[in-house]
Amino acid sequence: MNFIEGEIIAIDKPLGWTSFDAVKRVRGAIQRRMEVKKFKVGHAGTLDPLATGVLIICTGRATKRITELQNGMKEYIADITLGATTPSFDLEKEIDATYPYEHITRELIDETMPKFVGHVMQVPPVFSAVKVDGKRAYALARKGKDVELKAKPLEIRELEVLSFEPPLLRIRVLCSKGTYIRALARDIGVALNSGAHLSALRRTRVGDIVIDDCLSLDKALQLIAEGPMEISTITTQNKISN
């Protein structure tokens, strides 16, 4: 391992952890191994605490590749619960309204999904890191302030229904940087004349790095602490997005 020249470490982010939590743990392990007080570590693409899956962590000079890596297409497996909404569009907030969903059939879902495929416009969630007048939208929303966000362009390249057992809809999404799967859940609920929120999310791909390439956080920390410094045993450096 050569942390200064740069390692690209793919981990499977655990549930409940922020991306910053994971980066902080990796940075701390590297600092202890190298016996330094400061070291440059960053991540390519944030995952919400309630999401799991591919999180790419870059060290040293590899942090220059963060923009390149996070621009890759991302794949998610998402569970969407129909018939109920939350202010955050996921389980961060409690249900604030319920709607009928008995009319929703697999046929209706199959007719509706193609509307979301291609180059589309999406309004980000109010509880998001989007900046409004220099402040994060979620900070304003948590203070009870009204937040109005503008729709942004993005691409959903693939949208596949994996299963439907009312009220739970499971989908696979291949999309561009900047796509909020929580917002997609909201929009799908509206399109189905109901409500919906995201109840589980797993990122299975970022660019060419897939979930099978990833280490558990514990395993990554162990290799940082014990692995040979001259061999990049926990890196996927040659994998970049197309």
Side-chain angles (χ1 to χ4, degrees):
M1 291 176 285
N2 190 327
F3 300 118
I4 296 175
E5 287 301 318
E7 295 290 340
I8 298 176
I9 307 169
I11 70 165
D12 184 350
K13 188 190 79 65
L15 182 68
W17 285 62
T18 67
S19 298
F20 178 77
D21 289 337
V23 169
K24 184 178 180 181
R25 287 292 300 277
V26 169
R27 181 189 295 114
I30 293 173
Q31 288 171 336
R32 288 189 293 274
R33 181 70 189 271
M34 297 182 67
E35 298 182 346
V36 296
K37 292 184 178 180
K38 292 183 179 181
F39 196 76
K40 193 172 185 179
V41 180
H43 67 275
T46 301
L47 266 182
D48 290 339
L50 294 177
T52 64
V54 180
L55 180 67
I56 301 173
I57 298 178
C58 302
T59 80
R61 295 188 178 95
T63 56
K64 295 179 181 179
R65 296 183 61 192
I66 284 177
T67 298
E68 166 199 359
L69 291 165
Q70 68 185 8
N71 282 341
M73 298 296 288
K74 299 173 177 63
E75 182 183 70
Y76 297 89
I77 304 298
D79 285 353
I80 297 173
T81 299
L82 302 171
T85 58
T86 74
S88 59
F89 308 154
D90 63 7
L91 295 177
E92 180 183 344
K93 298 292 182 180
E94 295 183 357
I95 291 172
D96 60 357
T98 58
Y99 302 84
Y101 64 85
E102 292 79 10
H103 65 282
I104 300 174
T105 63
R106 177 58 188 264
E107 290 73 23
L108 178 59
I109 291 171
D110 290 340
E111 291 174 5
T112 303
M113 291 301 103
K115 299 176 182 178
F116 297 98
V117 178
H119 293 275
V120 299
M121 300 293 290
Q122 183 186 76
V123 178
V126 171
F127 287 87
S128 68
V130 175
K131 286 191 175 181
V132 180
D133 296 329
K135 297 182 179 180
R136 299 294 184 183
Y138 65 76
L140 297 173
R142 285 169 182 162
K143 292 180 180 179
K145 296 184 178 181
D146 292 331
V147 180
E148 185 175 347
L149 300 178
K150 296 181 180 179
K152 294 186 176 183
L154 53 90
E155 180 187 4
I156 297 180
R157 188 169 296 176
E158 297 177 11
L159 182 54
E160 176 186 4
V161 176
L162 299 179
S163 64
F164 177 51
E165 298 179 7
L168 188 64
L169 171 64
R170 177 168 291 176
I171 61 175
R172 181 184 67 85
V173 186
L174 183 63
C175 57
S176 65
K177 173 188 174 182
T179 304
Y180 284 92
I181 307 300
R182 290 181 286 142
L184 178 62
R186 168 203 63 195
D187 295 341
I188 287 174
V190 172
L192 292 171
N193 294 314
S194 183
H197 65 276
L198 186 67
S199 47
L201 184 66
R202 183 161 178 77
R203 186 156 70 189
T204 52
R205 170 183 164 190
V206 176
D208 288 337
I209 297 177
V210 298
I211 193 65
D212 289 343
D213 294 328
C214 296
L215 298 170
S216 69
L217 181 57
D218 286 344
K219 183 63 175 178
L221 295 174
Q222 179 184 356
L223 288 175
I224 290 170
E226 303 173 3
M229 292 291 285
E230 69 277 10
I231 300 177
S232 298
T233 53
I234 58 172
T235 175
T236 321
Q237 287 196 9
N238 293 325
K239 291 194 171 186
I240 62 174
S241 60
N242 293 321

